[in-house]
Amino acid sequence: GYTKTSSGINAEYGERLIKDYEEGGCCDCFMQDQVIILAALARGTSRFRTGPLTLHTKTAIHVCEALTGARFTVNKEENGNLGEQSYVIECEGVGHTNMYDIE
């Protein structure tokens, strides 16, 4: 079977992280969908820039809108530095609070 060395994996993911950063993102392709969940639950408007959207991110937006009522907008922008495309994801969150928070 095919196995990768740890140095090969580190190099691969390091290159992906640099590519995401160069595309104008503030988070990498593996973190996009996780931020969507937090934005949906937060109070007020959340906004962040990322590189091209992953299928996981598109799915997370759809599911979070359906389950929470949060509303997302995605705007494509041209990144002037490298000509790559970046996206600004904006969400009006639902303002979820912990009803069991005891203070």
Side-chain angles (χ1 to χ4, degrees):
Y2 175 76
T3 59
K4 291 184 180 182
T5 64
S6 61
S7 61
I9 291 170
N10 290 341
E12 178 182 340
Y13 287 101
E15 289 170 9
R16 284 186 184 180
L17 182 60
I18 290 169
K19 182 175 183 280
D20 288 336
Y21 173 76
E22 288 175 344
E23 289 172 338
C26 67
C27 66
D28 68 10
C29 62
F30 300 106
M31 188 175 164
Q32 287 177 13
D33 59 331
Q34 302 302 305
V35 176
I36 295 300
I37 297 164
L38 299 174
L41 295 175
R43 180 178 358 161
T45 302
S46 299
R47 186 178 304 113
F48 68 99
R49 183 182 312 277
T50 186
L53 301 183
T54 65
L55 180 57
H56 280 216
T57 300
K58 293 174 185 177
T59 302
I61 289 171
H62 175 76
V63 170
C64 284
E65 285 182 331
L67 292 178
T68 68
R71 290 292 161 237
F72 288 85
T73 57
V74 179
N75 295 306
K76 186 160 102 172
E77 297 186 346
E78 292 298 324
N79 183 341
N81 296 335
L82 301 168
E84 298 288 338
Q85 293 180 356
S86 63
Y87 295 80
V88 174
I89 301 173
E90 188 171 295
C91 175
E92 191 60 40
V94 296
H96 178 73
T97 58
N98 181 356
M99 61 189 236
Y100 300 106
D101 190 21
I102 301 171
E103 286 193 36

